Amino acid sequence: DAALQALPDKELQTQMEALISPLRSQLLAADADPQALLGWLAEQFPSADEGTLQEHLARLLFAAQVWGRLNGQD
């Protein structure tokens, strides 16, 4: 928490956008197709087992739903 609070808001925003942008782009490109997203995650995390990839996918879809609700999108 202290490390995050030490970062200026603008810098934190820039870093989070850089982190989230590829995820958001992939969600839009895959049209929320879980199989396509799972394949993309497998490429991003080649050493991860299937259970770990499915956990990442569940978190990614949850984050997308929250983002959509916060931004007035379905």
Side-chain angles (χ1 to χ4, degrees):
D1 288 338
L4 288 176
Q5 291 176 356
L7 290 172
D9 289 343
K10 187 108 175 144
E11 184 178 341
L12 183 58
Q13 178 71 25
T14 301
Q15 290 177 359
M16 289 299 100
E17 285 176 2
L19 177 67
I20 292 172
S21 181
L23 297 174
R24 185 174 182 274
S25 295
Q26 188 59 38
L27 279 169
L28 293 172
D31 198 25
D33 174 24
Q35 288 299 86
L37 290 172
L38 194 57
W40 179 78
L41 285 171
E43 292 173 2
Q44 302 305 306
F45 303 98
S47 63
D49 62 31
E50 187 174 341
T52 301
L53 291 173
Q54 288 178 352
E55 183 178 329
H56 286 313
L57 178 60
R59 290 179 183 191
L60 182 59
L61 292 173
F62 174 77
Q65 289 175 340
V66 169
W67 186 90
R69 288 182 183 164
L70 291 174
N71 289 282
Q73 300 174 0
D74 292 334

